[in-house]
PDB file of all heavy atoms in Angstrom:
ATOM      1  N   LYS A 805      -4.457  -9.966   1.088  1.00  0.00           N
ATOM      2  CA  LYS A 805      -5.790  -9.397   1.180  1.00  0.00           C
ATOM      3  C   LYS A 805      -6.750 -10.067   0.217  1.00  0.00           C
ATOM      4  O   LYS A 805      -6.304 -10.681  -0.741  1.00  0.00           O
ATOM      5  CB  LYS A 805      -5.746  -7.860   0.985  1.00  0.00           C
ATOM      6  CG  LYS A 805      -5.373  -7.501  -0.447  1.00  0.00           C
ATOM      7  CD  LYS A 805      -5.034  -6.031  -0.617  1.00  0.00           C
ATOM      8  CE  LYS A 805      -6.182  -5.113  -0.299  1.00  0.00           C
ATOM      9  NZ  LYS A 805      -5.912  -3.718  -0.600  1.00  0.00           N
ATOM     10  N   LEU A 806      -8.011  -9.927   0.515  1.00  0.00           N
ATOM     11  CA  LEU A 806      -9.036 -10.254  -0.482  1.00  0.00           C
ATOM     12  C   LEU A 806      -9.449  -9.025  -1.205  1.00  0.00           C
ATOM     13  O   LEU A 806      -9.681  -7.923  -0.625  1.00  0.00           O
ATOM     14  CB  LEU A 806     -10.297 -10.825   0.278  1.00  0.00           C
ATOM     15  CG  LEU A 806     -10.159 -12.207   0.947  1.00  0.00           C
ATOM     16  CD1 LEU A 806     -11.373 -12.535   1.801  1.00  0.00           C
ATOM     17  CD2 LEU A 806      -9.932 -13.270  -0.109  1.00  0.00           C
ATOM     18  N   VAL A 807      -9.525  -9.121  -2.530  1.00  0.00           N
ATOM     19  CA  VAL A 807      -9.848  -8.005  -3.386  1.00  0.00           C
ATOM     20  C   VAL A 807     -11.217  -8.216  -3.956  1.00  0.00           C
ATOM     21  O   VAL A 807     -11.489  -9.324  -4.518  1.00  0.00           O
ATOM     22  CB  VAL A 807      -8.823  -7.813  -4.471  1.00  0.00           C
ATOM     23  CG1 VAL A 807      -9.132  -6.642  -5.345  1.00  0.00           C
ATOM     24  CG2 VAL A 807      -7.379  -7.700  -3.897  1.00  0.00           C
ATOM     25  N   GLU A 808     -12.094  -7.203  -3.817  1.00  0.00           N
ATOM     26  CA  GLU A 808     -13.440  -7.354  -4.303  1.00  0.00           C
ATOM     27  C   GLU A 808     -13.735  -6.223  -5.299  1.00  0.00           C
ATOM     28  O   GLU A 808     -13.470  -5.069  -5.023  1.00  0.00           O
ATOM     29  CB  GLU A 808     -14.420  -7.262  -3.161  1.00  0.00           C
ATOM     30  CG  GLU A 808     -14.272  -8.380  -2.147  1.00  0.00           C
ATOM     31  CD  GLU A 808     -15.249  -8.223  -0.951  1.00  0.00           C
ATOM     32  OE1 GLU A 808     -16.400  -8.380  -1.161  1.00  0.00           O
ATOM     33  OE2 GLU A 808     -14.779  -7.884   0.153  1.00  0.00           O
ATOM     34  N   PRO A 809     -14.276  -6.550  -6.471  1.00  0.00           N
ATOM     35  CA  PRO A 809     -14.736  -5.489  -7.380  1.00  0.00           C
ATOM     36  C   PRO A 809     -15.763  -4.588  -6.729  1.00  0.00           C
ATOM     37  O   PRO A 809     -16.578  -5.051  -5.934  1.00  0.00           O
ATOM     38  CB  PRO A 809     -15.389  -6.290  -8.553  1.00  0.00           C
ATOM     39  CG  PRO A 809     -14.827  -7.679  -8.437  1.00  0.00           C
ATOM     40  CD  PRO A 809     -14.565  -7.938  -6.995  1.00  0.00           C
ATOM     41  N   ARG A 810     -15.680  -3.320  -7.085  1.00  0.00           N
ATOM     42  CA  ARG A 810     -16.561  -2.362  -6.390  1.00  0.00           C
ATOM     43  C   ARG A 810     -17.606  -1.736  -7.325  1.00  0.00           C
ATOM     44  O   ARG A 810     -18.415  -0.966  -6.892  1.00  0.00           O
ATOM     45  CB  ARG A 810     -15.706  -1.188  -5.797  1.00  0.00           C
ATOM     46  CG  ARG A 810     -14.924  -1.707  -4.560  1.00  0.00           C
ATOM     47  CD  ARG A 810     -13.870  -0.752  -4.127  1.00  0.00           C
ATOM     48  NE  ARG A 810     -14.340   0.573  -3.820  1.00  0.00           N
ATOM     49  CZ  ARG A 810     -13.555   1.557  -3.410  1.00  0.00           C
ATOM     50  NH1 ARG A 810     -12.277   1.321  -3.164  1.00  0.00           N
ATOM     51  NH2 ARG A 810     -14.051   2.775  -3.196  1.00  0.00           N
ATOM     52  N   THR A 811     -17.616  -2.133  -8.605  1.00  0.00           N
ATOM     53  CA  THR A 811     -18.656  -1.750  -9.531  1.00  0.00           C
ATOM     54  C   THR A 811     -19.007  -2.870 -10.428  1.00  0.00           C
ATOM     55  O   THR A 811     -18.294  -3.891 -10.483  1.00  0.00           O
ATOM     56  CB  THR A 811     -18.217  -0.541 -10.426  1.00  0.00           C
ATOM     57  OG1 THR A 811     -17.254  -1.019 -11.365  1.00  0.00           O
ATOM     58  CG2 THR A 811     -17.591   0.590  -9.582  1.00  0.00           C
ATOM     59  N   ASP A 812     -20.184  -2.833 -11.060  1.00  0.00           N
ATOM     60  CA  ASP A 812     -20.565  -3.926 -11.980  1.00  0.00           C
ATOM     61  C   ASP A 812     -19.541  -4.048 -13.115  1.00  0.00           C
ATOM     62  O   ASP A 812     -19.314  -5.191 -13.519  1.00  0.00           O
ATOM     63  CB  ASP A 812     -21.979  -3.557 -12.548  1.00  0.00           C
ATOM     64  CG  ASP A 812     -23.079  -3.726 -11.447  1.00  0.00           C
ATOM     65  OD1 ASP A 812     -22.943  -4.576 -10.597  1.00  0.00           O
ATOM     66  OD2 ASP A 812     -24.044  -2.957 -11.520  1.00  0.00           O
ATOM     67  N   ALA A 813     -19.006  -2.938 -13.608  1.00  0.00           N
ATOM     68  CA  ALA A 813     -18.042  -3.019 -14.698  1.00  0.00           C
ATOM     69  C   ALA A 813     -16.795  -3.770 -14.208  1.00  0.00           C
ATOM     70  O   ALA A 813     -16.206  -4.547 -14.991  1.00  0.00           O
ATOM     71  CB  ALA A 813     -17.691  -1.642 -15.236  1.00  0.00           C
ATOM     72  N   GLN A 814     -16.347  -3.517 -13.013  1.00  0.00           N
ATOM     73  CA  GLN A 814     -15.186  -4.155 -12.447  1.00  0.00           C
ATOM     74  C   GLN A 814     -15.456  -5.684 -12.291  1.00  0.00           C
ATOM     75  O   GLN A 814     -14.618  -6.525 -12.568  1.00  0.00           O
ATOM     76  CB  GLN A 814     -14.801  -3.585 -11.068  1.00  0.00           C
ATOM     77  CG  GLN A 814     -14.109  -2.231 -11.174  1.00  0.00           C
ATOM     78  CD  GLN A 814     -13.529  -1.825  -9.858  1.00  0.00           C
ATOM     79  OE1 GLN A 814     -13.728  -2.442  -8.835  1.00  0.00           O
ATOM     80  NE2 GLN A 814     -12.783  -0.703  -9.886  1.00  0.00           N
ATOM     81  N   LYS A 815     -16.673  -6.000 -11.880  1.00  0.00           N
ATOM     82  CA  LYS A 815     -17.019  -7.425 -11.676  1.00  0.00           C
ATOM     83  C   LYS A 815     -16.983  -8.157 -13.018  1.00  0.00           C
ATOM     84  O   LYS A 815     -16.455  -9.251 -13.121  1.00  0.00           O
ATOM     85  CB  LYS A 815     -18.442  -7.452 -11.027  1.00  0.00           C
ATOM     86  CG  LYS A 815     -18.822  -8.889 -10.648  1.00  0.00           C
ATOM     87  CD  LYS A 815     -20.165  -8.839  -9.901  1.00  0.00           C
ATOM     88  CE  LYS A 815     -20.615 -10.245  -9.396  1.00  0.00           C
ATOM     89  NZ  LYS A 815     -21.850 -10.161  -8.640  1.00  0.00           N
ATOM     90  N   ALA A 816     -17.580  -7.578 -14.044  1.00  0.00           N
ATOM     91  CA  ALA A 816     -17.540  -8.194 -15.369  1.00  0.00           C
ATOM     92  C   ALA A 816     -16.132  -8.316 -15.892  1.00  0.00           C
ATOM     93  O   ALA A 816     -15.831  -9.353 -16.536  1.00  0.00           O
ATOM     94  CB  ALA A 816     -18.394  -7.323 -16.336  1.00  0.00           C
ATOM     95  N   TYR A 817     -15.310  -7.341 -15.593  1.00  0.00           N
ATOM     96  CA  TYR A 817     -13.907  -7.355 -16.020  1.00  0.00           C
ATOM     97  C   TYR A 817     -13.134  -8.525 -15.348  1.00  0.00           C
ATOM     98  O   TYR A 817     -12.433  -9.290 -16.034  1.00  0.00           O
ATOM     99  CB  TYR A 817     -13.282  -6.038 -15.634  1.00  0.00           C
ATOM    100  CG  TYR A 817     -11.811  -5.861 -15.903  1.00  0.00           C
ATOM    101  CD1 TYR A 817     -11.223  -6.022 -17.173  1.00  0.00           C
ATOM    102  CD2 TYR A 817     -10.966  -5.448 -14.854  1.00  0.00           C
ATOM    103  CE1 TYR A 817      -9.897  -5.843 -17.337  1.00  0.00           C
ATOM    104  CE2 TYR A 817      -9.604  -5.272 -15.035  1.00  0.00           C
ATOM    105  CZ  TYR A 817      -9.072  -5.446 -16.339  1.00  0.00           C
ATOM    106  OH  TYR A 817      -7.710  -5.236 -16.526  1.00  0.00           O
ATOM    107  N   VAL A 818     -13.319  -8.662 -14.084  1.00  0.00           N
ATOM    108  CA  VAL A 818     -12.660  -9.766 -13.354  1.00  0.00           C
ATOM    109  C   VAL A 818     -13.065 -11.113 -13.881  1.00  0.00           C
ATOM    110  O   VAL A 818     -12.238 -11.981 -14.093  1.00  0.00           O
ATOM    111  CB  VAL A 818     -12.935  -9.617 -11.843  1.00  0.00           C
ATOM    112  CG1 VAL A 818     -12.467 -10.894 -11.098  1.00  0.00           C
ATOM    113  CG2 VAL A 818     -12.219  -8.390 -11.243  1.00  0.00           C
ATOM    114  N   GLN A 819     -14.351 -11.271 -14.191  1.00  0.00           N
ATOM    115  CA  GLN A 819     -14.813 -12.537 -14.730  1.00  0.00           C
ATOM    116  C   GLN A 819     -14.180 -12.771 -16.109  1.00  0.00           C
ATOM    117  O   GLN A 819     -13.819 -13.888 -16.414  1.00  0.00           O
ATOM    118  CB  GLN A 819     -16.323 -12.566 -14.778  1.00  0.00           C
ATOM    119  CG  GLN A 819     -16.971 -12.562 -13.387  1.00  0.00           C
ATOM    120  CD  GLN A 819     -18.497 -12.440 -13.416  1.00  0.00           C
ATOM    121  OE1 GLN A 819     -18.992 -11.717 -14.244  1.00  0.00           O
ATOM    122  NE2 GLN A 819     -19.153 -13.163 -12.541  1.00  0.00           N
ATOM    123  N   SER A 820     -14.049 -11.705 -16.870  1.00  0.00           N
ATOM    124  CA  SER A 820     -13.413 -11.855 -18.207  1.00  0.00           C
ATOM    125  C   SER A 820     -11.933 -12.299 -18.062  1.00  0.00           C
ATOM    126  O   SER A 820     -11.438 -13.095 -18.831  1.00  0.00           O
ATOM    127  CB  SER A 820     -13.504 -10.580 -18.977  1.00  0.00           C
ATOM    128  OG  SER A 820     -14.812 -10.252 -19.324  1.00  0.00           O
ATOM    129  N   LEU A 821     -11.277 -11.768 -17.032  1.00  0.00           N
ATOM    130  CA  LEU A 821      -9.870 -12.118 -16.857  1.00  0.00           C
ATOM    131  C   LEU A 821      -9.695 -13.606 -16.554  1.00  0.00           C
ATOM    132  O   LEU A 821      -8.665 -14.207 -16.983  1.00  0.00           O
ATOM    133  CB  LEU A 821      -9.246 -11.270 -15.697  1.00  0.00           C
ATOM    134  CG  LEU A 821      -9.220  -9.785 -15.887  1.00  0.00           C
ATOM    135  CD1 LEU A 821      -8.451  -9.139 -14.739  1.00  0.00           C
ATOM    136  CD2 LEU A 821      -8.538  -9.401 -17.211  1.00  0.00           C
ATOM    137  N   PHE A 822     -10.640 -14.194 -15.837  1.00  0.00           N
ATOM    138  CA  PHE A 822     -10.538 -15.588 -15.507  1.00  0.00           C
ATOM    139  C   PHE A 822     -11.038 -16.476 -16.669  1.00  0.00           C
ATOM    140  O   PHE A 822     -10.567 -17.607 -16.839  1.00  0.00           O
ATOM    141  CB  PHE A 822     -11.428 -15.927 -14.298  1.00  0.00           C
ATOM    142  CG  PHE A 822     -10.695 -15.615 -12.967  1.00  0.00           C
ATOM    143  CD1 PHE A 822     -11.127 -14.534 -12.217  1.00  0.00           C
ATOM    144  CD2 PHE A 822      -9.631 -16.388 -12.509  1.00  0.00           C
ATOM    145  CE1 PHE A 822     -10.476 -14.236 -10.991  1.00  0.00           C
ATOM    146  CE2 PHE A 822      -8.998 -16.097 -11.350  1.00  0.00           C
ATOM    147  CZ  PHE A 822      -9.429 -14.991 -10.588  1.00  0.00           C
ATOM    148  N   GLU A 823     -11.909 -15.935 -17.500  1.00  0.00           N
ATOM    149  CA  GLU A 823     -12.570 -16.774 -18.547  1.00  0.00           C
ATOM    150  C   GLU A 823     -11.877 -16.688 -19.888  1.00  0.00           C
ATOM    151  O   GLU A 823     -12.066 -17.584 -20.741  1.00  0.00           O
ATOM    152  CB  GLU A 823     -13.990 -16.371 -18.640  1.00  0.00           C
ATOM    153  CG  GLU A 823     -14.856 -16.695 -17.427  1.00  0.00           C
ATOM    154  CD  GLU A 823     -16.271 -16.115 -17.525  1.00  0.00           C
ATOM    155  OE1 GLU A 823     -16.524 -15.329 -18.475  1.00  0.00           O
ATOM    156  OE2 GLU A 823     -17.115 -16.387 -16.641  1.00  0.00           O
ATOM    157  N   HIS A 824     -11.084 -15.660 -20.158  1.00  0.00           N
ATOM    158  CA  HIS A 824     -10.484 -15.479 -21.494  1.00  0.00           C
ATOM    159  C   HIS A 824      -8.987 -15.476 -21.401  1.00  0.00           C
ATOM    160  O   HIS A 824      -8.386 -14.905 -20.486  1.00  0.00           O
ATOM    161  CB  HIS A 824     -11.015 -14.157 -22.084  1.00  0.00           C
ATOM    162  CG  HIS A 824     -12.465 -14.136 -22.389  1.00  0.00           C
ATOM    163  ND1 HIS A 824     -13.394 -13.756 -21.431  1.00  0.00           N
ATOM    164  CD2 HIS A 824     -13.141 -14.436 -23.497  1.00  0.00           C
ATOM    165  CE1 HIS A 824     -14.615 -13.866 -22.018  1.00  0.00           C
ATOM    166  NE2 HIS A 824     -14.498 -14.254 -23.202  1.00  0.00           N
ATOM    167  N   GLU A 825      -8.367 -15.993 -22.477  1.00  0.00           N
ATOM    168  CA  GLU A 825      -6.917 -16.010 -22.518  1.00  0.00           C
ATOM    169  C   GLU A 825      -6.380 -14.646 -22.878  1.00  0.00           C
ATOM    170  O   GLU A 825      -5.179 -14.345 -22.603  1.00  0.00           O
ATOM    171  CB  GLU A 825      -6.447 -17.057 -23.497  1.00  0.00           C
ATOM    172  CG  GLU A 825      -6.730 -18.487 -23.041  1.00  0.00           C
ATOM    173  CD  GLU A 825      -6.323 -19.553 -24.023  1.00  0.00           C
ATOM    174  OE1 GLU A 825      -6.126 -19.206 -25.193  1.00  0.00           O
ATOM    175  OE2 GLU A 825      -6.088 -20.672 -23.605  1.00  0.00           O
ATOM    176  N   LEU A 826      -7.143 -13.831 -23.591  1.00  0.00           N
ATOM    177  CA  LEU A 826      -6.745 -12.486 -23.961  1.00  0.00           C
ATOM    178  C   LEU A 826      -7.871 -11.525 -23.654  1.00  0.00           C
ATOM    179  O   LEU A 826      -9.016 -11.690 -24.135  1.00  0.00           O
ATOM    180  CB  LEU A 826      -6.385 -12.347 -25.389  1.00  0.00           C
ATOM    181  CG  LEU A 826      -5.993 -10.965 -25.950  1.00  0.00           C
ATOM    182  CD1 LEU A 826      -4.808 -10.411 -25.189  1.00  0.00           C
ATOM    183  CD2 LEU A 826      -5.651 -11.008 -27.409  1.00  0.00           C
ATOM    184  N   ALA A 827      -7.602 -10.561 -22.705  1.00  0.00           N
ATOM    185  CA  ALA A 827      -8.638  -9.650 -22.274  1.00  0.00           C
ATOM    186  C   ALA A 827      -8.134  -8.216 -22.294  1.00  0.00           C
ATOM    187  O   ALA A 827      -6.980  -7.956 -21.997  1.00  0.00           O
ATOM    188  CB  ALA A 827      -9.074 -10.020 -20.893  1.00  0.00           C
ATOM    189  N   PHE A 828      -9.027  -7.265 -22.697  1.00  0.00           N
ATOM    190  CA  PHE A 828      -8.645  -5.842 -22.757  1.00  0.00           C
ATOM    191  C   PHE A 828      -9.516  -5.130 -21.725  1.00  0.00           C
ATOM    192  O   PHE A 828     -10.727  -5.398 -21.553  1.00  0.00           O
ATOM    193  CB  PHE A 828      -8.996  -5.261 -24.102  1.00  0.00           C
ATOM    194  CG  PHE A 828      -7.970  -5.611 -25.183  1.00  0.00           C
ATOM    195  CD1 PHE A 828      -8.007  -6.879 -25.771  1.00  0.00           C
ATOM    196  CD2 PHE A 828      -7.034  -4.707 -25.613  1.00  0.00           C
ATOM    197  CE1 PHE A 828      -7.134  -7.214 -26.742  1.00  0.00           C
ATOM    198  CE2 PHE A 828      -6.135  -5.050 -26.562  1.00  0.00           C
ATOM    199  CZ  PHE A 828      -6.137  -6.276 -27.193  1.00  0.00           C
ATOM    200  N   GLY A 829      -8.925  -4.245 -20.961  1.00  0.00           N
ATOM    201  CA  GLY A 829      -9.595  -3.354 -20.030  1.00  0.00           C
ATOM    202  C   GLY A 829      -9.308  -1.925 -20.448  1.00  0.00           C
ATOM    203  O   GLY A 829      -8.177  -1.462 -20.361  1.00  0.00           O
ATOM    204  N   ILE A 830     -10.390  -1.181 -20.865  1.00  0.00           N
ATOM    205  CA  ILE A 830     -10.146   0.168 -21.475  1.00  0.00           C
ATOM    206  C   ILE A 830     -11.003   1.127 -20.689  1.00  0.00           C
ATOM    207  O   ILE A 830     -12.230   0.953 -20.515  1.00  0.00           O
ATOM    208  CB  ILE A 830     -10.510   0.139 -22.981  1.00  0.00           C
ATOM    209  CG1 ILE A 830      -9.625  -0.878 -23.747  1.00  0.00           C
ATOM    210  CG2 ILE A 830     -10.359   1.540 -23.576  1.00  0.00           C
ATOM    211  CD1 ILE A 830      -9.977  -1.051 -25.152  1.00  0.00           C
ATOM    212  N   GLY A 831     -10.426   2.255 -20.285  1.00  0.00           N
ATOM    213  CA  GLY A 831     -11.188   3.225 -19.578  1.00  0.00           C
ATOM    214  C   GLY A 831     -10.297   4.224 -18.805  1.00  0.00           C
ATOM    215  O   GLY A 831      -9.009   4.101 -18.898  1.00  0.00           O
ATOM    216  N   PRO A 832     -10.855   5.230 -18.169  1.00  0.00           N
ATOM    217  CA  PRO A 832     -10.064   6.273 -17.548  1.00  0.00           C
ATOM    218  C   PRO A 832      -9.274   5.845 -16.313  1.00  0.00           C
ATOM    219  O   PRO A 832      -9.522   4.694 -15.773  1.00  0.00           O
ATOM    220  CB  PRO A 832     -11.172   7.303 -17.150  1.00  0.00           C
ATOM    221  CG  PRO A 832     -12.415   6.513 -16.960  1.00  0.00           C
ATOM    222  CD  PRO A 832     -12.290   5.449 -18.003  1.00  0.00           C
ATOM    223  N   ALA A 833      -8.428   6.726 -15.861  1.00  0.00           N
ATOM    224  CA  ALA A 833      -7.618   6.438 -14.677  1.00  0.00           C
ATOM    225  C   ALA A 833      -8.509   6.224 -13.447  1.00  0.00           C
ATOM    226  O   ALA A 833      -9.546   6.868 -13.315  1.00  0.00           O
ATOM    227  CB  ALA A 833      -6.644   7.603 -14.457  1.00  0.00           C
TER     228      ALA A 833
END
């Protein structure tokens, strides 16, 4: 499947995952 971020925070997170060698994602379930 193609996966698309559904919020601006998710979009920024995905970009960080591709751009940084170490990334943290912190937040609720």
